[in-house]
Structure formats: C-alpha cells, structure tokens
Amino acid sequence: MRLFDPVSLGSMRLRNRVVMAPMTRQFSPGGVPTPEVGDYYVRRAEGGAGLLITEGLEIGHPGSVHHPAIPAFHSADALDAWAGIAGRVQAAGAAFVPQFWHVGGYRSTLGQTPAVSPSGMYTPGVRYGDPASQADIAAVVDAYGAAAEAAFAMGCTGIELHGAHGYLIDQFLWSETNERRDGYGGDIEGRTRFAAEVVSACRRRTSPAFPIFFRFSQWKLQDYSARLFTTPAELERFLSVLVDVDVFDCSTRRFADPAFDGSDLPLAAWTRRLSGRPTMAVGSVGLDNDVVASLHGRVEDSGAAGLDVLDRMLARGDFDLVGVGRALLADAEWTRKIEIGERPRGFTRAHLEVLA
C-alpha cells in the first residue's frame, strides 16, 4: 500500500505518508500540556505514524483560544513542555509539527471578549463589535511569527497554520464574514492578504527551508455547506497569493469527495495540480461516516472502513500525505495495524473524553 511509502517533502523526510491530523483535546490546564498529553502524542509516534500535527495551540495574543485547558505555545512553562514532547516524538521516529490557532470571532458566540475578527462578526450578518484595526492585525501577525520562531528554536520539524473551519484566518478568507473595503477585503486576493502576511511573518522568523503547512477548508462550523471557491480558477487565485506555503492541508468532511462539478478530483488533488505544492488529504480516512455526523451527535459510533479508494488516489498522484484524525484518536496503533493487515478499533464519542 502506497500509504507506507517513505516520502521527502523539501527538507522533511517521513517514514510513511500517515499524518496524525490536529484534534482539539482540552487536557492542558492553564495552557500547559501535562505528562499525559505528551504520552498521548508519543503513543501515536510509537504506533507508526510518520508525522504528528498537534491540536490547535494558543498563540501569544489575547483571545486566541476559547478554553483555559487548550495548550499554549508562548508561556515559558508551555514551551518547555512542548520541547520535551517534540523531542520524544522525534526520538520515536515521527516528525513533529505544532499547529497555531486563533479562533477570532468564535469567542463572541460564548460571550467571551476580546474577540478579534475582520468585520465584527462570526456568524454572517450577526455583529458583536468593530472590525479589527490595523494595529489589531499587526499584533496577531506578530504573535504568529513569535510562535513560529519558538517552534524553530526548539527543533520542531515544521509548523502548521490553522486557516480553516471558520476561525480567524478563515474569517478573513470567507466573503460572508469579511465585508472589509480596505486591502484585507473585497476580492479573493484581498481576503487572502491577512493569511499571506501571517505566513510571511512565520517565514521571516524561521528559515527558507523550515516547512510551513497551511490548513484551509471549504466548510465552516458556521455553515457546513459553505464554499470559499466555486471553481478551480477561484482556488488558483487563492493559492497564488500564498507563495511561502510548503504544504497545503486540505480539510474536507470526506477526503474523496469531488471538489468541483465536472471532475472527480478532490480538493487536495486540485490544490496540488494548481499550486505545484505537496498536499495533504484529510476527512473521514479509515472510518465509515464523516466528521460532522460523528462529532455532532448524529451517530455515536464510526466503524473502520477500507482504504482501497485512498490507495488508488495516492497511486494517481492526487496528494502526498494522508491526515488521519478520529481513527488515530480511537487507536494509537492504527498505522501499525493497517500496515500488517490487522483491523483497528472504530471511533466512538467516548474517545473524546480521555487521553488514551
């Protein structure tokens, strides 16, 4: 199976194409990951995954996250803990990439302040405050850059920027939550400017060879049917602005779903074709229902599913990496079991409650 072929992406060398996708856990009181959090990641590395992307991490900007048990990546205690985890994961043979997160206007839905957003809204048409000022934007960009610098200094393999699912970067990208008329709004290129500035700040404060992943999605938590791009041409305009991104993490509800009418290519394949950059496919890999049904209560269990379609798409060159989320959450040995032909455990909502 091509999933287990080694792969080189720039300076990154991976033993296989299996990536632990980022999944919010909220087991780090005060923002500091506990030893149990470290063990949780190390078990997935020991189980054979080639690359681990952490849950979304708080950057050093007020309002970056919405819960005190989401781990931080700016305080001294948190950075010390992450340095130890990164070293242990890499010693177990996997690459280690922290994901940086700012929820933006999502905080407003929980009655929390401050809540920075491009147009003072999280839900389209529902306003809670003023649009982000230029000073607000500069402060957030600087906080992303500082997090990237810290990751580079501690020897992480790379970083990922969370630009998906309706959070801050995505609020700039989505026309429904970005009504700005300055250089950060308007057409696709304008709405992508904030994302490009974040990526560039991370590049300046690391090195030209330090891998930067960028996660984006069509769907949003605000609207599961939302679409940033209705045609490949629109997608290409977005990708052309993000010149400093090394790998695009294309988050979908089902990895194999066609991205546009008239083609069977999924989002990761179109992105690879149009950008010329490596891509990662993610969305219900190894499970028989999608993330929305599973995480939002419509079904309790997700059984293991075959990977024949995934293997065919890898053979066709649709994407380079495969993000595995809930399946790896349920079974730390998922990678090894798939490789030797053993059936892994399925996912249940109970797996969200523990660090197994």
Side-chain angles (χ1 to χ4, degrees), residues 225-237:
S225 63
R227 293 172 68 82
L228 285 179
F229 319 108
T230 59
T231 66
E234 291 179 351
L235 174 61
E236 186 171 24
R237 289 169 60 190

Side-chain angles (χ1 to χ4, degrees), residues 1-9 12-18 48 50 93 314 320-321 339:
M1 184 180 290
R2 290 166 179 81
L3 188 62
F4 299 102
D5 291 344
V7 61
S8 295
L9 304 175
M12 186 180 297
R13 308 288 185 269
L14 303 178
R15 61 189 174 188
N16 58 48
R17 298 172 187 268
V18 178
L314 281 170
D320 304 271
L321 301 174
E339 187 169 22

Side-chain angles (χ1 to χ4, degrees), residues 237-309:
R237 289 169 60 190
F238 160 74
L239 296 170
S240 70
V241 180
L242 297 175
V243 294
D244 279 325
V245 171
D246 296 292
V247 182
F248 286 101
D249 173 359
C250 306
S251 179
T252 60
R253 290 169 60 181
R254 293 169 290 271
F255 74 92
D257 282 359
F260 303 108
D261 293 340
S263 167
D264 69 344
L265 295 180
L267 185 62
W270 272 112
T271 300
R272 193 178 193 277
R273 173 179 291 189
L274 295 172
S275 70
R277 304 294 173 85
T279 63
M280 182 170 90
V282 63
S284 307
V285 173
L287 295 175
D288 60 8
N289 58 51
D290 76 36
V291 63
V292 173
S294 179
L295 297 185
H296 293 274
R298 294 208 295 269
V299 297
E300 286 297 320
D301 299 338
S302 301
L307 300 175
D308 292 346
V309 173

